[in-house]
Amino acid sequence: MSEETFSPPYSSLADFEQDVRLHGYAALATPDFERLTGVRSQEFKALEPSWENLPADEWLRDGGKYRFRRHASLVVENGEIALQPHRAHFQPVDYNALHGGLHRMFEPIDADTLAQTAWQRMLLSLARVCDDVRGTSTKWFVEAHQFRIDTGDGLGRPTPEGAHRDGVDFVAVILVDRVNITGGETRVFDYNGPNGQRFVLRAPWSLLFMEDARVIHESTPIRREVEERAGHRDTLVLTFRAKGFIGEG
C-alpha cells in the first residue's frame, strides 16, 4: 500500500511574501524558487555534492547515528555577505528541550560551497524577503545548516526535538534531495491557534519559509522505502535573526 502524502500548499511567486504576512509561512515550488533567487537548476545542482561530505553529528542526545551536518555563521547587510569566525551553535532550552543549553560545535561549511554564486544569490534573495516581510532593511545574523538524515539506524529523525520554534525571526527550509525514503512529512502549526498544515516537500530545491514567532514546525521520521537500499533526506536550513546570534545578543 502506498504512503498517503499531502502536496505542499505552494504560493505563486507573486503572492509569496503576502502569504507569509497572512499565515506566518509560505512554500515555493522549485521553478518559483529559482526565479526568486535568480539561480538556474544546474547551478543548484552544483551545490549538491557538498552534502556527500557531511561529518556525523556527535551531539545527538537520543543516541542516534542518523544525522550529519555542517554549520556556518554569516551576516547579511546592504546586499553584502560577511562570513563570521566559526562559532558554536546555541539554542536555549525554551526552544530546544532536547539539545538546548549546549554550545554545539559542528564542522564548518566548506569554503568552496560558500563561494558558489548559487549560495550567495540564495542567501541575499532570502534576506531581501526578510526585509520585505519585516518592512525595513535589516542587518541579518544568519546561521546556515547543511543536514543529511539517513536511515542507517532504520529510522532517521529530522527534528528529534519535536515540534519547535528556533528563537529567530525567519527560518528557510530548503529541500535538497530525498533518496529511497518514506516519511519526512513537514508539519507547520499556528503558535497561538489550532490551524496547521501537513505536507511533504519532495521536489529538490523547493522552499518552506516561516516567520518563527508565529508558527511551530517539525518533520516526521523517515524510513527506507526499499529496505535493501540506503536512504537519506538532505536539507539546507537558514535562520535569520536581527538581534545578533543567539547566545551573543
Side-chain angles (χ1 to χ4, degrees):
M1 183 176 178
S2 63
E3 179 187 26
E4 182 181 11
T5 61
F6 297 87
S7 298
Y10 289 132
S11 299
S12 68
L13 185 56
D15 294 333
F16 173 61
E17 291 180 0
Q18 183 61 21
D19 286 346
V20 176
R21 295 186 191 99
L22 288 173
H23 306 296
Y25 68 94
L28 279 182
T30 305
D32 276 332
F33 188 53
E34 291 175 358
R35 284 189 280 271
L36 176 74
T37 58
V39 177
R40 296 171 295 176
S41 59
Q42 59 265 38
E43 293 174 306
F44 276 134
K45 201 81 177 166
L47 288 172
E48 293 175 12
S50 63
W51 268 262
E52 300 295 334
N53 186 33
L54 303 184
D57 182 342
E58 303 291 348
W59 292 90
L60 284 170
R61 279 181 161 172
D62 65 0
K65 302 294 183 183
Y66 53 80
R67 185 157 76 179
F68 303 80
R69 69 191 295 178
R70 289 184 182 272
H71 172 248
S73 300
L74 312 102
V75 169
V76 179
E77 185 178 22
N78 298 325
E80 299 289 336
I81 301 170
L83 179 65
Q84 303 301 291
H86 195 52
R87 53 185 290 282
H89 175 54
F90 178 81
Q91 292 176 294
V93 175
D94 289 350
Y95 289 101
N96 189 327
L98 185 61
H99 298 114
L102 299 174
H103 290 270
R104 292 177 286 165
M105 183 66 81
F106 301 107
E107 290 297 312
I109 295 176
D110 289 340
D112 288 348
T113 302
L114 297 173
Q116 290 198 47
T117 300
W119 179 280
Q120 295 178 18
R121 287 181 180 170
M122 179 169 48
L123 196 60
L124 292 174
S125 298
L126 289 169
R128 285 194 295 270
V129 171
C130 296
D131 284 345
D132 291 346
V133 174
R134 178 61 59 87
T136 184
S137 181
T138 302
K139 179 179 181 179
W140 294 108
F141 294 80
V142 183
E143 291 194 62
H145 307 262
Q146 288 181 293
F147 286 107
R148 168 165 288 183
I149 308 299
D150 81 3
T151 56
D153 287 345
L155 187 74
R157 295 179 174 85
T159 53
E161 64 273 32
H164 65 284
R165 293 185 299 148
D166 288 299
V168 297
D169 293 288
F170 298 99
V171 180
V173 180
I174 301 153
L175 181 72
V176 176
D177 203 6
R178 289 173 57 101
V179 175
N180 189 41
I181 61 169
T182 62
E185 181 181 82
T186 296
R187 298 175 177 178
V188 186
F189 305 96
D190 287 350
Y191 182 64
N192 291 308
N195 296 326
Q197 288 269 4
R198 47 187 288 223
F199 52 88
V200 176
L201 287 173
R202 291 191 175 277
W205 303 102
S206 53
L207 166 73
L208 170 64
F209 187 85
M210 297 173 284
E211 192 170 0
D212 188 61
R214 295 176 58 192
V215 298
I216 57 175
H217 64 278
E218 65 177 337
S219 294
T220 62
I222 63 171
R223 297 181 183 275
R224 293 181 182 182
E225 188 168 37
V226 177
E227 187 57 37
E228 295 75 22
R229 293 170 47 212
H232 64 260
R233 179 179 185 261
D234 292 347
T235 56
L236 172 64
V237 176
L238 301 169
T239 65
F240 296 79
R241 191 169 187 261
K243 295 182 179 179
F245 296 111
I246 295 178
E248 296 182 1

